[in-house]
Amino acid sequence: DEEKKYDLDKVIKAGYDTRLSAFEILVPALINVYQTKVLTSDTVYVQLKEVMDVLKNWDYRCAEKSVATTLAITWGEVLLPFLSKAKGDDQVEKAKHLAANATVTNMVEPMLQAIKKLQINFGTWQVAWGEINRFQRISNDIEYKFDDKKPSLPVAFASSGWGSLPAYISQPFAGTKKRYGLHGNSFICAVEFGKKIKAKSLLAGGESGDVNSKHFFDQGLMYSKGEFKDVLFYKEDIM
């Protein structure tokens, strides 16, 4: 029974929880301020009603096709100066303090800025997270320049700063509107010890640094989806 309770796949599933816990604190505060302190008849705020409806129905998990994830993270990045000034010794305490002292200025106005940013870059704020959160590996140059016109893969994951266990930290770069991953989980291995070792692993992109090798990006799709592969530990497995 214990073995069934803690099998490898369940451990991986737990470790790949995409819940963005920071927004469980911040988003309700935003919605409350909007509903209680904003004159919704003001044309400046009319467009926010649909935004609030999207966020109300969000399960706080980042996902490839989630518009709410795009809204929350774009808004969250505008909130960072307010978060840094909030009281608390860590990110959780600061988020709680900001939420408890939410105002139109530190909550609603940043969302307007976030929407404007999305509209300028993509023509609409209704953008799925995977459309703009990308994984690109087409060169091994240390100073490689990301390019929106070149192939890339959608990624559902987000920064651990927002609470995501599978950490994928992305940002726009010079000349790009989309975001590309630069930091986060690179190699992960889950191991089950017993009479025989069982293990599954995940690697960012591929084993080879040679652009011409078939192993340069052969694990890219698995990485972008958080799909682990079996580790060939014993000689008979390898053979």
Side-chain angles (χ1 to χ4, degrees):
D1 290 339
E2 285 300 307
E3 287 184 7
K4 291 180 181 178
K5 185 178 179 181
Y6 298 107
D7 68 25
L8 209 54
D9 290 330
K10 288 182 180 178
V11 170
I12 291 172
K13 184 178 180 181
Y16 257 63
D17 189 340
T18 57
R19 185 170 63 101
L20 303 184
S21 53
F23 294 115
E24 290 183 322
I25 300 170
L26 295 169
V27 167
L30 165 68
I31 294 172
N32 181 61
V33 169
Y34 176 77
Q35 291 177 335
T36 59
K37 297 183 180 180
V38 168
L39 295 174
T40 53
S41 58
D42 189 328
T43 54
V44 175
Y45 299 107
V46 168
Q47 61 182 326
L48 286 183
K49 183 182 184 304
E50 193 173 353
V51 169
M52 297 301 159
D53 289 340
V54 170
L55 292 173
K56 283 179 187 177
N57 294 316
W58 187 32
D59 63 359
Y60 299 109
R61 281 175 163 77
C62 52
E64 184 180 323
K65 295 182 180 180
S66 171
V67 172
T69 303
T70 302
L71 285 169
I73 291 176
T74 307
W75 170 65
E77 290 175 345
V78 181
L79 278 185
L80 288 176
F82 295 104
L83 272 170
S84 65
K85 294 177 183 177
K87 292 181 180 179
D89 296 326
D90 56 42
Q91 192 79 347
V92 175
E93 289 184 5
K94 286 178 178 292
K96 288 180 177 179
H97 182 265
L98 180 60
N101 294 275
T103 66
V104 173
T105 300
N106 65 19
M107 284 282 171
V108 182
E109 295 295 338
M111 180 56 82
L112 286 174
Q113 294 178 44
I115 290 172
K116 184 178 180 181
K117 181 179 179 180
L118 290 169
Q119 289 172 331
I120 290 173
N121 287 335
F122 307 105
T124 176
W125 58 263
Q126 295 171 313
V127 186
W129 181 235
E131 289 183 29
I132 63 172
N133 191 49
R134 312 293 293 187
F135 180 33
Q136 187 173 82
R137 192 184 194 221
I138 53 179
S139 169
N140 63 359
D141 293 342
I142 294 175
E143 296 184 3
Y144 168 70
K145 293 183 179 180
F146 294 99
D147 192 332
D148 287 344
K149 296 179 181 179
K150 294 181 179 178
S152 62
L153 296 170
V155 178
F157 313 123
S159 168
S160 57
W162 304 119
S164 177
L165 292 182
Y168 188 79
I169 303 171
S170 64
Q171 66 183 61
F173 291 83
T176 76
K177 293 181 179 179
K178 296 180 180 180
R179 312 164 60 101
Y180 295 91
L182 195 64
H183 304 286
N185 297 345
S186 54
F187 174 78
I188 309 168
C189 189
V191 183
E192 180 182 319
F193 296 96
K195 292 180 180 179
K196 286 197 71 175
I197 290 175
K198 298 178 183 178
K200 293 186 177 183
S201 70
L202 177 150
L203 179 66
E207 182 182 22
S208 175
D210 181 357
V211 181
N212 298 313
S213 169
K214 66 179 182 179
H215 300 301
F216 179 71
F217 201 54
D218 61 340
Q219 296 182 54
L221 185 60
M222 288 187 293
Y223 175 80
S224 70
K225 294 184 176 296
E227 294 176 354
F228 284 62
K229 65 185 184 300
D230 291 329
V231 172
L232 307 180
F233 187 77
Y234 297 96
K235 185 177 180 179
E236 57 265 30
D237 296 332
I238 297 169
M239 296 305 291

